Amino acid sequence: MKRLYIVLFSTLAFTASQAQNKFNLLVGTYTNTCESKGIYVYEFDATSGDFKLKNSTEKVVSPSYLSVSANNKFVYAVNENGTQSAVTALSYDSPTGQLKVLNTHSSLGADPCHLINDDKNVIVANYSGGSIAVFKKNADGSITEGQQLIQHEGKGPNAARQEKAHVHQVVFSPDKKFVLSNDLGQDKVFIYKYNPGASHEVLTLKGTVDVKKGSGPRHLTFSKDGKFVYLVQELDATLTTFSYDKSGALKLIAETSILPKGFTGGTGAAAIKISPDGKFLYVTDRVDANSISVYQIQKDGSIKFVEQESTLGKGPRDFAIDPTGNYLLVGHQYTNDIMIFKRDKITGKLKNTGKKIDLCSPVGLVFTKI
């Protein structure tokens, strides 16, 4: 009898561990370049790297970037569509992967490209509009019309890309007291004090930090301990390390380039993320580079180069690391696929699995619990 209990317990434990290694992968796409329904939901097995399509939306316009609520019940998407751009709230049933549109409002600026949410607000970065828009959340997960619009003004030395402000990202500080925002057009990182309960003045400017002229700050991420910020600059492939303190202050520590020595092609640095264990930093580069660089994060916040690999496609706009840290998935905007790489958790290195998801113009990738 005791042996039977042990066998049953082992079987149940194995089944539970298998279930814990399955997640949903949500993918936002462009719908104006090829045939796409908008947002796709796949079940992803972080033990084997296998996947299967569970569900998709119908006729959601270019939901290029997604943000999932903390309770896993709602998804918020930008609708990147020029002057007709919007923000959409959707209910989300993770077991089935079903998404239902709750409502949609104007993003108050052209081409929103990034957004974040908490229990009170949805905050959106409008790239072409050069602005930040704030939407309050209703009790049912839907959003109000925009309650605050912050317009950035200014330009940079790159006449083709920095002719005006281009807000590229909004990020909560780890303690949620601040929102950081990168402006590619002005070569600045803006730090806003976050007042979540306010009706309209949700964000108030604390200060700005200048980065290298013409570099074009795109995306940043916080170290796991919240003491450092890593920023990638799109236009010249600079990777900048800052120290960060709880007063919302950034201090420049170091700069490096993600370009290999002697590289002369086009560059367009894109996404930057840290492994779940906080030990490795990954950065993608587009245009001619089409690569992903791997760095080991040292105890003092500095980074040590590990390797640079081809992403095996064109236009690695975004990538996601599954919550177990076993796999890294790279979405290619122009070759219409998501390549699946196996991660070595000890070295941080990547290995092509030979598996890929074929999908029209994948742009934003995010994992959720099932």
Side-chain angles (χ1 to χ4, degrees):
M1 183 63 74
K2 186 176 180 182
R3 182 176 292 176
L4 178 61
Y5 279 130
I6 290 170
V7 170
L8 284 170
F9 178 79
S10 298
T11 303
L12 287 168
F14 176 76
T15 304
S17 69
Q18 289 294 99
Q20 288 171 356
N21 273 357
K22 289 188 177 180
F23 304 91
N24 281 348
L25 171 69
L26 278 62
V27 185
T29 67
Y30 280 135
T31 59
N32 56 354
T33 57
C34 45
E35 192 171 332
S36 171
K37 295 179 179 180
I39 304 171
Y40 291 77
V41 182
Y42 296 86
E43 182 177 282
F44 184 79
D45 188 327
T47 302
S48 65
D50 293 333
F51 60 89
K52 63 179 180 182
L53 180 64
K54 289 176 78 168
N55 230 315
S56 64
T57 54
E58 292 287 341
K59 298 180 180 178
V60 174
V61 177
S62 291
S64 60
Y65 207 89
L66 312 172
S67 182
V68 182
S69 64
N71 64 8
N72 211 34
K73 293 182 178 180
F74 305 100
V75 172
Y76 300 92
V78 299
N79 304 113
E80 194 175 338
N81 190 29
T83 56
Q84 304 301 309
S85 292
V87 182
T88 295
L90 306 99
S91 64
Y92 174 46
D93 181 65
S94 58
T96 63
Q98 187 174 44
L99 290 158
K100 289 184 179 179
V101 173
L102 295 173
N103 68 342
T104 299
H105 283 298
S106 167
S107 61
L108 305 180
D111 300 320
C113 59
H114 196 271
L115 79 171
I116 51 177
N117 83 93
D118 65 2
D119 60 342
K120 294 184 181 298
N121 302 291
V122 175
I123 305 172
V124 178
N126 291 311
Y127 178 79
S128 297
S131 61
I132 300 171
V134 181
F135 304 80
K136 306 299 290 186
K137 278 190 180 181
N138 297 316
D140 64 353
S142 63
I143 55 173
T144 65
E145 293 182 339
Q147 299 299 300
Q148 182 180 18
L149 181 67
I150 298 172
Q151 184 65 53
H152 287 190
E153 300 287 351
K155 59 184 180 180
N158 185 326
R161 295 293 310 278
Q162 296 180 306
E163 79 291 358
K164 61 178 181 178
H166 288 298
V167 180
H168 221 311
Q169 188 189 36
V170 281
V171 183
F172 287 120
S173 63
D175 59 9
K176 296 285 184 76
K177 290 183 178 179
F178 300 94
V179 169
L180 280 64
S181 179
N182 307 322
D183 192 322
L184 179 145
Q186 297 191 74
D187 295 317
K188 290 179 184 290
V189 179
F190 287 71
I191 299 115
Y192 290 94
K193 190 175 185 302
Y194 181 48
N195 314 294
S199 298
H200 301 290
E201 297 299 313
V202 176
L203 298 176
T204 53
L205 185 63
K206 177 188 181 295
T208 63
V209 175
D210 292 328
V211 297
K212 190 165 59 170
K213 293 296 182 186
S215 64
R218 180 183 171 94
H219 278 195
L220 62 76
T221 187
F222 280 86
S223 61
K224 194 169 185 179
D225 63 8
K227 294 179 180 179
F228 302 95
V229 167
Y230 304 97
L231 168 72
V232 67
Q233 285 116 282
E234 178 175 340
L235 302 183
D236 72 350
T238 295
L239 174 56
T240 302
T241 302
F242 297 95
S243 63
Y244 178 82
D245 68 39
K246 291 184 178 180
S247 70
L250 290 173
K251 183 179 179 182
L252 179 68
I253 293 177
E255 287 181 337
T256 188
S257 174
I258 64 171
L259 295 176
K261 288 182 180 179
F263 180 81
T264 57
T267 181
I272 181 167
K273 295 178 185 180
I274 290 175
S275 58
D277 61 10
K279 294 179 179 179
F280 294 94
L281 180 72
Y282 296 83
V283 191
T284 53
D285 198 359
R286 299 168 295 166
V287 189
D288 295 322
N290 295 306
S291 63
I292 185 163
S293 300
V294 185
Y295 298 87
Q296 185 178 44
I297 298 174
Q298 310 298 298
K299 289 183 178 179
D300 62 358
S302 63
I303 54 174
K304 180 181 178 182
F305 178 77
V306 174
E307 69 170 357
Q308 186 176 80
E309 293 289 333
S310 168
T311 58
L312 305 175
K314 186 169 177 57
R317 180 74 169 266
D318 195 21
F319 66 91
I321 303 170
D322 83 75
T324 70
N326 286 338
Y327 290 90
L328 185 149
L329 282 65
V330 182
H332 292 108
Q333 181 182 346
Y334 300 116
T335 42
N336 303 314
D337 56 38
I338 300 170
M339 303 301 295
I340 301 173
F341 293 89
K342 186 77 170 69
R343 276 189 73 243
D344 186 317
K345 292 183 181 180
I346 304 300
T347 65
K349 291 183 176 182
L350 302 174
K351 183 179 180 181
N352 177 28
T353 62
K355 299 176 182 179
K356 69 173 182 175
I357 302 171
D358 292 310
L359 183 63
C360 165
S361 200
V363 184
L365 283 67
V366 60
F367 280 101
T368 78
K369 294 180 293 184
I370 294 180

